Amino acid sequence: WFYTTGLLSDIVLEVEQVSFHLHKFPLVSRSGRLAKLIENASDEGNKICCIQLHDIPGGAYAFELAVKFCYGVKMELTASNV
């Protein structure tokens, strides 16, 4: 899964068997939990940070909605997608 902004992704988050190729800034600016995970993983010195996320409620689908929120994408929240 890629979110296209014109910039190369600098982080890969894996949820279930889905890889999300993303950018650190939108994530750390909106999520304290992801900011801590990214900070810890970035200390390892890799150019592209790869993090596996386990036990995400709602799995990859719910995480995709959270990512869209972090990127400022307008979306409709309903009882079926929350």
Side-chain angles (χ1 to χ4, degrees), residues 1 21 23 53 62-63 67 78:
W1 191 91
H21 298 261
H23 308 91
L53 301 174
F63 186 73
V67 166
T78 65

Side-chain angles (χ1 to χ4, degrees), residues 13-78:
L13 298 173
E14 295 178 359
V15 179
E16 296 172 339
Q17 282 76 38
V18 180
S19 295
F20 293 86
H21 298 261
L22 303 169
H23 308 91
K24 292 178 187 176
F25 181 73
L27 301 175
V28 300
S29 66
R30 297 263 179 124
S31 171
R33 182 176 181 201
L34 286 176
K36 288 179 186 178
L37 289 170
I38 291 168
E39 180 182 348
N40 292 338
S42 295
D43 290 342
E44 297 174 6
N46 297 330
K47 190 170 185 177
I48 294 181
C49 182
C50 294
I51 300 173
Q52 291 185 349
L53 301 174
H54 304 284
D55 301 325
I56 299 292
Y61 174 74
F63 186 73
E64 181 180 343
L65 291 176
V67 166
K68 287 180 178 180
F69 167 79
C70 289
Y71 275 82
V73 174
K74 289 186 179 186
M75 61 186 156
E76 182 178 341
L77 296 178
T78 65

